[in-house]
Amino acid sequence: MKMLKTAVIGVAASTMLMTMNVFAAEHTVTTQGLKFSPLVVKIAPGDSVSWTNMSTHNVEMIEGLVPEGAELFKSEMSQDVTHTFDKEGVYIYKCTPHIGAGMGGAVIVGNPVNLEAIKAQDVSGGVGRIVKKAIKEAESM
């Protein structure tokens, strides 16, 4: 009986993991000049974001502006890239060479669990604009 129970639990867990991947979605952010469009993307945990039209751009997560323990993902220059987000929270990113022009964006994954930490950061300029927009979007959820 114990072996049957263990087997049933194992099958159920495997089915759940496979189902999660089936329902994962892919979202697209496109560069347009010196802007990412859309600026803020709201996704579910396990979803992916693809950045396209990256002719002279990259994507770099900004330290202190991602959930605690999250990967500080950084893409190669001029390469379209896809990244899967598993950890809930707000992720602020920039285009490294163009952040001075305000080029960056935000990904909100599930529940914005790090919203208070994002609000507490002292940011200005292009990053400040992105953070303000991300906070507004997260608070409207």
Side-chain angles (χ1 to χ4, degrees), residues 34-36 39 98-105 125-127 129-130:
L34 294 179
K35 293 182 181 181
F36 288 109
L39 180 69
H98 300 121
I99 190 58
M103 188 171 187
V127 174
R129 179 184 64 82
I130 297 160

Side-chain angles (χ1 to χ4, degrees), residues 51 59-66 70-75 83 85 90-94 96 105-107:
W51 286 268
V59 174
E60 180 179 356
M61 299 298 153
I62 302 173
E63 188 171 357
L65 297 175
V66 299
E71 174 188 2
L72 289 174
F73 168 74
K74 181 178 180 181
S75 72
H83 185 74
F85 293 83
V90 179
Y91 295 74
I92 307 295
Y93 65 89
K94 65 182 177 179
T96 308
V107 178

